[in-house]
């Protein structure tokens, strides 16, 4: 009889599969690829996914350990999802086991059953009488029975407290036989009168053209770039497409950036449809995540909305994928499996033969390039919906102006005028805390982080110096640690300082700060938004959390305190990011009747990029930026892979990368791979971070195929390099931070 050997993917960084024997008593016929098994691994146990059943192993049979337990009776992973994970692991040169563990809900990785939970439902026993003599002196039980009798489908146990049903009363009723308990899956949604809970807006001509183009391609793969200025009604187009999808009996998957997770975005979807919506984002707990995942897989959710990792949600009957704000950097995972959810969504759409819509007011240069090349259909919305005017830009040169906590005199005046006219102001500053540095005025000491090449930010409210790179925090010194003098001064301004100053300048006006420090608590964001939506004059101060997705109809002035960073950064993507941020923040102004104004403070107010962006808009900026990238041979006209390494000792990371680099050169010759440039190794932009010394090696190529051939041959060598043991290294395919 042939041997039965199980080849498993385990959650390990090693790019290989692991062989085991079948668990005792489990016949071969019970084993299907995709099923999970508990196995011994070293001194631990792990849960692996069965990839295939084979008859031979390189390991002698008596050395193979048996798996301990088969966890599934049918495979929990639909074939389509499995295929996507395989593609992902291969493209990102990542271990399949680790890829699966990033893609699957935590509880599945821990061995939880992959079936929807059963719930207990309480029913009134048919024929139970409210006038039963046993209830004569039990008014609470009678009330409970009355409530239950009003719910012919029963009441889910989890909803008892919502209906003011008391468990003790129910237990007493159960003893009397007046109520019954049934265990089943949650009740399917009872729908009334179709999918729409709210009428659709009549689309304007541009929206209609976009909608029609996408709708006529709904039967199969097609990629659409919906390029619509802020407020042009992209979301309305998504909603009407989703409606089409639901009517065709299919499910829609909507990805949104982390920053858009505000109540406003989710509510818009929930208000529109009588549909079962599954939410998958950082705010849901592990159990809710698994439930949503299972509901989507089993066709019990109609719409799935989530952030990056929701891309890996299985859908029983997928009909449409939407990527909102497709340019957003949060779609790229920056640790472990460094995937880009937008790029993978395109792969998924192609594999599953689905239409995919990428929407943005400021598309990434990659997507614009794909549209120019004819790979995506380009659909433009140039007008704001509902008649709102586009905002006007004013570049304010602050070169010789005194700045008071980052705010110039002319800007103060403009803020005062807007408030006096009864309107709201948004002040944007992409820096949390009070001040980015503390400086000794006597000797020049600055608050350097001990573990990073970075300064520590002063957070006055919490009384701390905090490093935003490694998380280290300490009390600010009273005296200079170097010279002992006490003249320590905060230098520069963060949101806390701007807030404090604005409070002093406009004492009668509420100043609301919105950044990660103020919104960390659950519900705090809702509270801020309800103040804003009351519409009275107020000032919002915040970081990029303010920039996207929100709708503030009463904001007519947007002030950008500091636009200089993106103009002289070393990262070639910095200007693209700055332009996107400026346009997105500006898009918060004048979304209703009053036209909006945007004031940009800069020391480089005449910088050609800034001039072009503010006078000709994002499309002109993007075309210019694309032609510069083409000239410089940078993405999207080239493909990159970045090998990063870090180590405790200086020089160790470079040593590893040097060796890796010479292997790559050798391979390139052996495999005769043309046109791959190896750049570096060089120190990382922040050479020391969290106590480790960091370096990187960049691989750049005009075409993808040779690059990926090289990587595939190179990685097993890197894994085997002794020098690799003392360093932590990782490969980033299509990196977005260099
Ligand atoms: P975007 O997603 O492009 O930023 P939204 O979909 O949020 O734009 O639309 C901006 C505003 O215009 C919203 O208040 C929305 O209700 C309104 N709107 C969108 N489409 C229409 C339309 N066809 N007619 C009237 N108002 C519309
Ligand atoms: Zn000093
Ligand atoms: Zn630090």
């Amino acid at each position: 009889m042939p041997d039965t050997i199980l080849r498993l993917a385990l959650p390990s960084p090693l790019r290989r599969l692991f062989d085991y024997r079948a668990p005792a008593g489990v016949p071969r016929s019970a084993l299907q690829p995709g099923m999970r098994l508990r196995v011994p691994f070293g001194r631990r146990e792990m849960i692996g996914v069965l990839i295939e059943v084979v008859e031979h192993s390189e390991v002698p049979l008596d050395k193979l350990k048996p798996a301990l337990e088969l966890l599934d009776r049918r495979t929990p992973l639909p074939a389509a999802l499995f295929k996507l994970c395989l593609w992902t692991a291969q493209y990102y040169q990542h271990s399949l086991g680790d890829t699966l563990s990033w893609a699957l809900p935590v509880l599945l990785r821990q061995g939880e059953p992959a079936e929807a939970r059963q719930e207990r439902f309480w029913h009134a026993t048919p024929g139970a009488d409210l006038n039963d003599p046993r209830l004569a002196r039990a008014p609470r039980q009678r009330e409970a029975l009355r409530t239950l009798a009003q719910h012919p489908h029963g009441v889910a146990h989890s909803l008892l407290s919502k209906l003011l049903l008391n468990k003790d009363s129910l237990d007493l009723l159960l003893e009397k036989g007046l109520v019954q308990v049934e265990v089943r899956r949650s009740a399917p949604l009872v729908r009334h009168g179709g999918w729409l809970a709210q009428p659709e807006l009549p689309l304007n001509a541009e929206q209609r053209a976009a909608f029609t183009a996408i709708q006529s391609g709904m039967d199969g793969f097609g990629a659409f770039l919906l390029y619509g200025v802020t407020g042009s009604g992209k979301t309305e187009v998504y909603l009407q497409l989703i409606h089409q999808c639901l009517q065709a009996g299919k499910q829609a998957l909507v990805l949104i950036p982390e920053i858009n997770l505000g109540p406003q975005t989710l509510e818009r979807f929930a208000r529109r449809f009588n549909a079962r919506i599954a939410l998958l984002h950082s705010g849901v707990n592990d159990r809710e995540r698994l439930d949503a995942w299972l509901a989507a897989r089993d066709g019990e959710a109609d719409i799935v909305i989530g952030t990056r990792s929701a891309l890996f949600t299985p859908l029983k009957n997928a009909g449409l994928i939407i990527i909102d704000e497709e340019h957003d950097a949060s779609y790229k995972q920056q640790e472990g499996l460094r995937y880009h959810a937008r790029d993978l969504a395109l792969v998924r759409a192609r594999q599953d033969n689905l239409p995919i819509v990428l929407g943005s007011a400021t598309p990434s240069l990659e997507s614009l390039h794909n549209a120019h090349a004819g790979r995506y259909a380009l659909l433009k919305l140039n007008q704001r919906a509902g008649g709102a005017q586009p905002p006007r830009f004013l570049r304010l040169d602050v070169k010789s102006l005194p700045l008071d906590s980052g705010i110039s005199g002319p800007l103060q005046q403009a803020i005062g005028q807007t408030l006096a006219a009864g309107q709201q102001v948004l002040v944007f500053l992409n820096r949390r805390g009070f001040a980015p540095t503390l400086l000794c005025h006597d000797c020049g000491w600055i608050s350097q982080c001990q573990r990073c090449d970075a300064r520590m930010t002063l957070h006055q409210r919490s009384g701390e110096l905090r490093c935003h790179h490694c998380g280290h925090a300490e009390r600010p010194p009273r005296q200079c640690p170097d010279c002992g003098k006490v003249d320590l001064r905060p230098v520069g301004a963060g949101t806390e300082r701007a807030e404090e100053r604005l409070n002093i300048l406009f004492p009668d006006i509420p100043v609301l700060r919105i950044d990660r420090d103020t919104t960390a608590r659950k519900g705090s964001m809702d509270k801020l938004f309800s103040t804003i939506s009351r519409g009275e004059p107020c000032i919002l101060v915040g970081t990029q959390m303010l920039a996207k997705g929100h709708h503030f109809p009463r904001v007519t002035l947007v002030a950008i305190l500091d636009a200089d960073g993106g103009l002289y950064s070393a990262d070639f993507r910095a200007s693209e990011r700055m332009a996107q941020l400026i346009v997105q923040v500006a898009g918060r102004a004048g979304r209703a009747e009053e036209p909006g104004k945007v004031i940009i403070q800069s020391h480089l107010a005449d910088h050609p990029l800034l001039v072009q962006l503010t006078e000709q808009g994002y499309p002109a900026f993007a075309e210019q930026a694309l032609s510069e990238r083409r000239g410089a041979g940078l993405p999207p006209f080239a493909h990159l892979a970045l090998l990063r390494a870090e180590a405790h000792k200086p020089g160790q990371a470079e040593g590893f990368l040097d060796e890796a680099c010479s292997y790559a050169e050798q391979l390139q010759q052996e495999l005769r791979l043309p046109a791959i440039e190896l750049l570096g190794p060089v120190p990382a932009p922040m050479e020391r971070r969290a106590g480790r010394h960091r370096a990187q090696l960049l691989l750049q190529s005009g075409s993808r195929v040779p690059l990926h051939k090289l990587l595939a041959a190179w990685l097993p060598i890197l894994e085997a390099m002794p020098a690799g043991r003392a360093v932590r290294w990782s490969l980033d395919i299509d990196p977005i931070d260099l």
Side-chain angles (χ1 to χ4, degrees), residues 449 451-452 467 469-472 690:
C449 176
R451 311 171 66 213
C452 306
C467 174
H469 302 282
C470 70
H472 174 76

Side-chain angles (χ1 to χ4, degrees), residues 564-578 604 607 609 628-629 632 634-635 640 679 682-686 696 698 700 736-738:
D564 295 350
L567 298 172
Y568 48 68
S569 166
D571 185 343
F572 71 88
R573 280 185 224 268
S575 61
E576 176 187 355
R577 261 186 234 127
M578 180 204 66
L604 304 163
H607 193 289
L609 278 179
E628 280 169 20
R629 297 263 188 101
L634 288 168
L640 305 181
L679 306 166
V682 294
M686 185 183 301
Q696 57 193 38
L698 185 66
Q700 178 167 343
I736 63 169
D737 278 315
L738 293 184

Side-chain angles (χ1 to χ4, degrees), residues 19-162:
D19 292 352
Y20 286 88
R21 281 187 280 134
V26 172
R28 183 175 183 146
S29 59
L31 293 160
Q32 297 293 324
M35 288 179 171
R36 296 168 301 157
L37 292 117
R38 191 186 302 281
V39 297
F41 190 82
R43 261 176 281 157
R44 296 188 295 150
E45 285 180 10
M46 277 191 177
I47 290 178
V49 174
L50 181 61
I51 303 303
E52 54 178 346
V53 181
V54 293
E55 289 175 2
H56 301 284
S57 175
E58 282 167 21
V59 185
L61 199 59
D62 56 350
K63 290 261 168 60
L64 281 184
K65 292 185 189 153
L68 302 170
E69 185 189 2
L70 176 65
L71 295 172
D72 297 301
R73 277 198 295 174
R74 59 182 187 122
T75 170
L77 304 185
L81 179 64
F82 196 64
K83 193 169 158 199
L84 181 67
C85 289
L86 279 174
W87 196 97
T88 303
Q90 196 161 43
Y91 182 83
Y92 289 104
Q93 302 287 339
H94 203 78
S95 104
L96 179 58
D98 202 48
T99 302
L100 286 164
S101 80
W102 278 104
L104 298 180
V106 170
L107 291 182
L108 280 192
R109 288 178 236 157
Q110 295 174 350
E112 194 76 4
E115 301 297 333
R117 255 185 314 178
Q118 307 269 318
E119 196 167 12
R120 286 195 290 160
F121 284 79
W122 294 83
H123 293 263
T125 306
D129 186 359
L130 285 177
N131 297 319
D132 190 297
R134 286 171 296 172
L135 299 181
R137 277 195 275 150
R140 289 174 55 157
Q141 290 177 47
R142 195 162 60 198
E143 254 336 283
L145 184 58
R146 191 196 308 279
T147 307
L148 277 190
Q150 288 161 356
H151 292 84
H153 300 290
V155 171
H157 191 79
S158 57
L159 294 179
L160 291 183
S161 59
K162 260 204 185 128

Side-chain angles (χ1 to χ4, degrees), residues 201-204 207 228-238 268 324-325 381 384-386 551 588 591:
L201 297 173
L203 297 178
N204 64 33
Q207 283 173 313
V229 300
T230 53
S232 59
K234 293 183 291 296
T235 311
E236 185 62 34
V237 174
Y238 303 152
R268 262 181 99 176
D324 188 27
E325 310 287 3
L381 307 178
R384 283 188 157 188
H551 189 49
R588 303 311 114 206
R591 306 253 299 181

